[in-house]
Amino acid sequence: MSAQQQSAGEGKQRARIAISPKRLQALAYRYAAAMVTVATVVFAYTRLPVNPTTVALTFLLVVLGVASRWGLTLATTTAVVATLAFNYYFLPPIHTFTVADPQNWIALLAFLVTAIVASRLSERARREAENAHRRRKEVERLYFLSQQLLATENVMELLNSIPGFVRDAFGLKAAAMYLPKRREVYRTGFDHPELSEEQLESVSSRGELDVDAEQQLCFVPLRIGVRPVGSLGLEGAVLSRETLEAVGSLVAISIERAGAVETLTRNEASRESEKLRSALLDSVTHEFRTPLTAIKLSVTTLLAPGDVNADERQELLTVINEETDRLNRLVGEAAEMAQLDAQQVELRRESHPVREVIEASLERAKQVLAGREVKLQVPEGLPPVGVDLERIAEVLVQLLENAAKYSPADTPITITAEPAGKMVSISVADRGPGIDDMEQSLIFEKFYRGRDQRYRIQGTGMGLAIAKAIVEAHGGTIGVTSQLDSGSVFHFTLPIST
């Protein structure tokens, strides 16, 4: 579009703007104020001994004030009226429009030209100041909009929020956005039919601004370079062309950025999933292979030709039995983890004393704790807890097994229970090597094992993840407090029975 066509289009838009009664009233007030000011100067100076120069300078100040306040049109009218008043009341012969002295014609003409030129310069300065102020406000609003657009990285959340961001940033009535790739319109509300989908589609396909100053509607193409990605409709204000293009570019860039971040996140999640799958296969393969190897070796020895005495036979059968139990436990953990993840486990909650829960756990962990000193610090009078006894006992067994694995055999394990508001807190403390601060947030993740222990102590890394899932299914929380070389305290909470 050429500058001439654009100028003609803007002229047509201005012509279409109807002058409202309120605007007419304001114009009448301004004209009346200017005329009253001129009349006041005339009234005052006709009663004071002043020379024509003083009067001319005073009128010039009035014209400049009107120009700086209300614009060139009213200032020019005021200058003409002031010139006539100056001639009629202050240039001889008084009370006539005749000028006797030719020098007074020059003075009168000079005053008129000076007043008009000065008012024009004042009007230009006022207009430039207003434009600068408007641009500053628009830049501030664009900055505010960019901050909001860049703060959201989720694509769907961003797309639903963009019309509201634009409306709030520029104080509009409504905004709507159309994206051809999704064939969808996002709106701040559905009670604004002026922002029609057909118009949004048209602007998106043509890639050109469409401004209706009369109805205060603006339609902006969203472009990345020359590539259109959609369109934006605004109702309630007519912004400058530069601001509209800046808004369109900002919105388009934010959409592309959010899409790129989402793709990057998806790719990163895919890589992490692949790493997790590899870690799972490595861990599970190692854990399953160990008992299978022992079973295979024992069976091969029993089937080999030659005599196997009774003691050796019994020892080999014992190995087969123990490793079969271990293999069965590994399969059971994997199945339980899958059920807990899918939230397919039903809890049979009943009211149980805390000491009963702890004693049930100690009974199940008797073989692991053989020869270990276990200290109980369970005060009398603790309220009962509403739990699935078998599941919570499994949590405590897992914590006791961990404490037994990772702490010296000659150090005690301490079990403590205490009230914690509407919950009861149970903790298991050991005197093992402790856990690094960075690893404390990871040890409850599936298949994670400590860096210093994963190759020295058997395990799949599912035990603590199972314990966490069970505790959270009961509405409690689980955590660890640890310091290197000072041991660890695993603690979890259970709801009090109601």
Side-chain angles (χ1 to χ4, degrees):
M1 181 183 291
S2 67
Q4 185 176 2
Q5 290 173 328
Q6 181 179 346
S7 176
E10 291 177 352
K12 290 179 182 178
Q13 288 177 356
R14 284 195 295 269
R16 287 200 304 264
I17 300 177
I19 300 179
S20 64
K22 189 174 182 180
R23 181 174 174 80
L24 284 173
Q25 184 179 0
L27 284 173
Y29 165 78
R30 292 171 183 177
Y31 274 98
M35 298 306 105
V36 167
T37 304
V38 171
T40 301
V41 172
V42 170
F43 180 80
Y45 281 171
T46 53
R47 285 159 177 74
L48 295 174
V50 294
N51 58 45
T53 303
T54 302
V55 177
L57 290 175
T58 304
F59 277 138
L60 186 60
L61 288 176
V62 171
V63 172
L64 289 176
V66 171
S68 63
R69 179 72 176 174
W70 292 319
L72 180 62
T73 303
L74 184 54
T76 302
T77 303
T78 305
V80 172
V81 173
T83 301
L84 294 175
F86 182 48
N87 180 17
Y88 188 82
Y89 289 102
F90 300 101
L91 292 181
I94 304 300
H95 299 147
T96 68
F97 289 106
T98 303
V99 179
D101 190 347
Q103 293 183 359
N104 289 338
W105 278 110
I106 297 173
L108 192 64
L109 182 62
F111 169 77
L112 179 60
V113 172
T114 302
I116 293 175
V117 171
S119 62
R120 183 175 180 83
L121 292 175
S122 179
E123 157 69 8
R124 182 184 298 175
R126 183 184 67 84
R127 190 187 308 117
E128 289 179 354
E130 288 179 351
N131 289 338
H133 178 70
R134 176 177 55 82
R135 290 194 186 100
R136 180 180 65 81
K137 294 295 291 183
E138 289 181 351
V139 168
E140 290 176 354
R141 289 169 173 175
L142 285 171
Y143 175 75
F144 174 71
L145 176 62
S146 67
Q147 292 295 99
Q148 289 184 305
L149 293 176
L150 295 176
T152 307
E153 295 185 351
N154 181 282
V155 174
M156 291 310 302
E157 181 182 347
L158 177 66
L159 295 181
N160 288 313
S161 302
I162 283 176
F165 289 161
V166 176
R167 179 197 61 191
D168 296 341
F170 293 95
L172 306 172
K173 291 181 181 178
M177 181 177 66
Y178 170 74
L179 299 180
K181 282 187 177 180
R182 298 176 181 265
R183 303 294 299 174
E184 191 168 352
V185 177
Y186 303 86
R187 300 178 178 274
T188 55
F190 292 93
D191 53 346
H192 298 276
E194 295 82 2
L195 301 175
S196 65
E197 183 173 348
E198 293 76 14
Q199 183 70 5
L200 289 167
E201 288 183 8
S202 174
V203 171
S204 176
S205 60
R206 289 187 289 108
E208 295 180 359
L209 279 172
D210 188 355
V211 179
D212 186 344
E214 184 178 355
Q215 298 187 37
Q216 291 193 321
L217 294 175
C218 303
F219 293 90
V220 191
L222 307 179
R223 287 192 295 256
I224 298 291
V226 296
R227 178 170 60 90
V229 298
S231 61
L232 186 68
L234 313 176
E235 180 185 358
V238 178
L239 306 178
S240 67
R241 183 183 185 88
E242 295 81 4
T243 301
L244 290 173
E245 291 178 347
V247 170
S249 297
L250 272 177
V251 171
I253 290 171
S254 68
I255 293 173
E256 289 292 302
R257 173 185 171 275
V261 169
E262 185 181 55
T263 301
L264 181 63
T265 303
R266 190 161 47 245
N267 293 338
E268 186 66 25
S270 179
R271 284 195 295 270
E272 290 296 323
S273 177
E274 189 62 33
K275 287 172 61 178
L276 181 60
R277 188 181 296 110
S278 299
L280 169 62
L281 289 174
D282 179 64
S283 176
V284 172
T285 300
H286 178 268
E287 290 302 316
F288 276 76
R289 184 175 292 165
T290 301
L292 285 173
T293 301
I295 294 171
K296 178 66 176 177
L297 182 60
S298 299
V299 171
T300 302
T301 303
L302 289 172
L303 294 176
D307 294 333
V308 179
N309 60 44
D311 291 339
E312 291 177 343
R313 180 183 295 276
Q314 183 63 33
E315 184 179 351
L316 291 172
L317 290 174
T318 301
V319 169
I320 293 173
N321 183 59
E322 291 177 352
E323 295 301 326
T324 302
D325 288 342
R326 181 181 170 192
L327 191 60
N328 184 58
R329 183 169 61 84
L330 290 173
V331 174
E333 284 184 351
E336 184 176 18
M337 190 72 253
Q339 289 178 336
L340 288 167
D341 277 348
Q343 298 181 345
Q344 294 178 350
V345 177
E346 293 185 6
L347 299 179
R348 300 176 180 176
R349 295 182 182 235
E350 295 178 358
S351 181
H352 295 278
V354 176
R355 185 174 289 273
E356 179 185 349
V357 175
I358 296 174
E359 289 175 351
S361 307
L362 291 173
E363 181 63 28
R364 290 176 57 174
K366 185 183 295 183
Q367 184 177 353
V368 177
L369 298 174
R372 296 295 296 262
E373 179 186 2
V374 179
K375 296 181 178 180
L376 293 182
Q377 297 179 357
V378 183
E380 297 295 334
L382 277 178
V385 290
V387 296
D388 184 322
L389 181 59
E390 183 179 350
R391 294 289 184 184
I392 293 301
E394 184 179 352
V395 173
L396 261 175
V397 168
Q398 178 60 48
L399 299 183
L400 291 169
E401 286 183 356
N402 268 14
K405 283 182 184 179
Y406 296 106
S407 63
D410 58 348
T411 58
I413 298 173
T414 304
I415 301 176
T416 305
E418 57 186 1
K422 296 183 179 181
M423 313 286 280
V424 172
S425 176
I426 301 176
S427 59
V428 176
D430 63 56
R431 299 182 185 177
I435 304 170
D436 183 78
D437 289 344
M438 200 166 67
E439 288 192 296
Q440 290 181 23
S441 60
L442 301 174
I443 58 175
F444 292 100
E445 299 295 327
K446 293 190 289 291
F447 313 116
Y448 182 83
R449 302 185 65 208
R451 290 173 299 182
D452 299 330
Q453 310 294 335
R454 62 184 65 171
Y455 300 113
R456 295 196 303 107
I457 298 176
Q458 295 177 347
T460 60
M462 289 191 289
L464 290 177
I466 291 173
K468 179 183 178 183
I470 292 173
V471 170
E472 290 180 348
H474 281 80
T477 58
I478 189 170
V480 62
T481 302
S482 184
Q483 188 175 358
L484 291 177
D485 302 323
S486 299
S488 304
V489 179
F490 285 85
H491 49 82
F492 63 94
T493 58
L494 298 172
I496 295 173
S497 178
T498 55

